[in-house]
Amino acid sequence: NARLAWKVDNDVLLWTAVSRAVRAPTRFDTDLQDAIIPGVLILTGNRDFQPEKLTAYEAGTRVQLSNAASFSVSTYYNVYDDLRSVEWLQMNAIPLIWTYGNMMEGDVYGVEVWGQYRVADWWRLAAGFNLQHEALRFKPGSSALGGIAGAGDDPNHQASLRSTVDLSPSVTWEADLRYVGRLPDPVIPGYAELNTRLAWNVSRSLELSITGFNLLHAHHLEYEEAGATIGDEVDRSFFVDTRWRF
């Protein structure tokens, strides 16, 4: 990781960074033995599985517009190599079972924008938006089993708006509205949801609160496995919380 920042003046900061990361193989990658039918091996790990690699390039700015308002903009370009893929395992020149390989690569790039505004001493707003594009692909010679959806089924845009209101010196109300764009493959519709929290600091040690999650819908679908008929549905929920600090 290498980072460089330049404070143009008291209100403007420019920065850039280059980072390198790897995901080391796990026992799941190297030792898996999966049989759909008992005794019939269908997917096996690969003892020669290589680390997945990422090189990330970033640049951005942070600007303090006034005592009440600020914003930041950052862009990124991520280069991935040796991503996990599923390949035919050749046994006596006959493809009989599957194994893990490193035959996927690709680029992901986008922009993130975030801003904060103090409407009054007792009311603060924060908003964010991000836009990204994924371009994953199989390397030449890959079996291309399962497609690329399992590695990159992500929304290309998301947005959020958060409000924090101090109703009194001891009571705070927070509301968080978010929007998540559609997933491309398998297709999951975009959705908007709202979380809210009301907290009362009874004393310096005791806090009581009630929180509601995903209030706009009784339930919504966030993710689905490729080829599956049932996905992960998130329900509306409520929590009452007590915190004691000592």
Side-chain angles (χ1 to χ4, degrees):
N1 179 311
R3 310 183 73 86
L4 177 66
W6 176 32
K7 194 171 184 180
V8 180
D9 55 38
N10 289 334
D11 299 323
V12 179
L13 175 72
L14 302 176
W15 63 273
T16 186
V18 179
S19 306
R20 175 76 167 172
V22 299
R23 184 186 74 83
T26 67
R27 292 191 62 186
F28 185 84
D29 302 309
T30 59
D31 299 338
L32 175 70
Q33 300 288 309
D34 190 13
I36 297 178
I37 302 174
V40 181
L41 186 65
I42 189 67
L43 176 63
T44 180
N46 181 357
R47 292 297 178 91
D48 295 323
F49 188 85
Q50 299 299 306
E52 296 181 309
K53 303 174 182 66
L54 163 66
T55 304
Y57 305 92
E58 302 170 273
T61 183
R62 299 173 186 170
V63 180
Q64 187 74 37
L65 295 174
S66 67
N67 291 334
S70 64
F71 76 90
S72 65
V73 179
S74 60
T75 60
Y76 59 92
Y77 191 95
N78 296 338
V79 180
Y80 294 90
D81 195 14
D82 292 332
L83 297 180
R84 188 173 66 191
S85 61
V86 179
E87 309 293 332
W88 282 113
L89 179 62
Q90 302 286 332
M91 303 184 70
N92 298 322
I94 301 176
L96 296 178
I97 60 177
W98 302 333
T99 188
Y100 287 132
N102 298 97
M103 299 296 289
M104 189 184 297
E105 61 185 4
D107 309 314
V108 177
Y109 53 88
V111 61
E112 299 179 348
V113 182
W114 185 262
Q116 300 183 68
Y117 180 58
R118 181 179 287 273
V119 183
D121 291 341
W122 49 271
W123 185 15
R124 299 175 300 280
L125 293 175
F129 177 77
N130 67 65
L131 182 69
Q132 79 168 9
H133 176 74
E134 293 182 346
L136 302 178
R137 56 193 174 271
F138 290 105
K139 297 180 181 180
S142 172
S143 302
L145 294 171
I148 64 173
D153 189 26
D154 302 302
N156 66 5
H157 62 281
Q158 300 181 73
S160 65
L161 176 63
R162 173 173 293 180
S163 171
T164 303
V165 177
D166 297 324
L167 299 177
S168 75
S170 60
V171 179
T172 301
W173 173 40
E174 299 173 331
D176 183 4
L177 177 67
R178 72 185 187 279
Y179 175 77
V180 179
R182 66 188 288 273
L183 302 187
D185 186 13
V187 174
I188 303 295
Y191 65 90
E193 276 298 356
L194 174 69
N195 300 339
T196 190
R197 178 176 184 265
L198 184 65
W200 175 30
N201 289 299
V202 181
S203 67
R204 298 182 63 179
S205 301
L206 177 62
E207 180 190 73
L208 304 177
S209 67
I210 181 170
T211 305
F213 296 97
N214 305 302
L215 300 180
L216 299 185
H217 305 91
H219 52 79
H220 68 270
L221 185 64
E222 290 194 359
Y223 184 76
E224 185 176 276
E225 290 285 349
T229 57
I230 300 177
D232 294 329
E233 296 241 346
V234 179
D235 297 327
R236 179 187 294 134
S237 59
F238 299 90
F239 289 87
V240 176
D241 189 35
T242 302
R243 296 185 184 183
W244 178 265
R245 301 180 183 90
F246 56 91

